[in-house]
Amino acid sequence: MDIGLILMGLAKLAFALLIAACGAYVCARQVKRMAGFADLDSALTEGNVAVGISFAGTILAMGLLTQFALQNSFTVLALLSYGGGDWLDMAWVLAYAIGMVGVSLLVGALVISAGIALSVRLTPNIDEIAEIRRGNVACALVLATTVVVMAFLAREGLDTLLTGGMPLPPLGRDIS
């Protein structure tokens, strides 16, 4: 049994759950602000499926966009732990990971905003937000799908951006 690996797994799990909670919070704020769902909680408790679909789409989009920040951070931490990195290196990478997740959440909020705006523009003769408030599932599906597709398309660029700035440990052989 490898206690260090178990502790690393628990730390990864705790960090991922914290980021998931932060992402859901950011999504709720964006949906309330951009779509005008001032009382998201009451719409959900009343069983408004359209609002639920819209909110679920934004959470899914946020998860897609923050996945790489977590994955890259965990990969670098694993490389450091197995490659002889010290605790100072790991603390630096962890601090950098928090910054990368912050950037991912910011980009996620922008993608959600852009997705909602684009979804509304796709059907200029329909007030989609008002329809979603009334429970129109078709409009909610268009909005949620637009936001998720934008997240799928944006995530590779975000991954490259974040990977480019990650402080990777030296790997390989010294060929000098």
Side-chain angles (χ1 to χ4, degrees):
M1 180 160 55
D2 187 345
I3 297 297
L5 192 57
I6 291 171
L7 292 175
M8 179 73 78
L10 288 173
K12 286 180 177 182
L13 179 61
F15 188 61
L17 291 174
L18 177 66
I19 299 313
C22 289
Y25 176 76
V26 169
C27 287
R29 287 184 51 94
Q30 280 302 100
V31 168
K32 286 178 184 179
R33 189 172 66 81
M34 287 296 296
F37 299 135
D39 196 4
L40 182 64
D41 295 341
S42 69
L44 293 173
T45 56
E46 291 169 2
N48 188 327
V49 175
V51 171
I53 290 170
S54 302
F55 188 38
T58 62
I59 292 173
L60 180 60
M62 188 65 79
L64 291 169
L65 291 169
T66 55
Q67 172 193 3
F68 286 126
L70 289 173
Q71 186 176 352
N72 292 344
S73 301
F74 293 160
T75 299
V76 172
L77 286 173
L79 288 171
L80 284 173
S81 68
Y82 292 115
D86 61 16
W87 287 103
L88 184 61
D89 290 337
M90 288 189 185
W92 169 248
V93 170
L94 186 59
Y96 195 83
I98 291 168
M100 286 184 14
V101 168
V103 169
S104 295
L105 291 173
L106 177 65
V107 169
L110 293 173
V111 167
I112 289 168
S113 297
I116 291 171
L118 178 63
S119 179
V120 169
R121 298 226 188 259
L122 287 174
T123 52
N125 297 327
I126 300 172
D127 184 355
E128 284 186 333
I129 303 304
E131 290 295 319
I132 291 170
R133 277 192 213 116
R134 282 194 289 270
N136 187 329
V137 173
C139 288
L141 288 170
V142 170
L143 185 138
T145 303
T146 303
V147 171
V148 170
V149 166
M150 289 185 69
F152 268 123
L153 297 175
R155 69 190 223 145
E156 285 297 322
L158 179 61
D159 178 40
T160 303
L161 173 77
L162 296 176
T163 302
M166 177 56 88
L168 293 171
L171 300 172
R173 306 179 294 248
D174 183 15
I175 57 174
S176 55

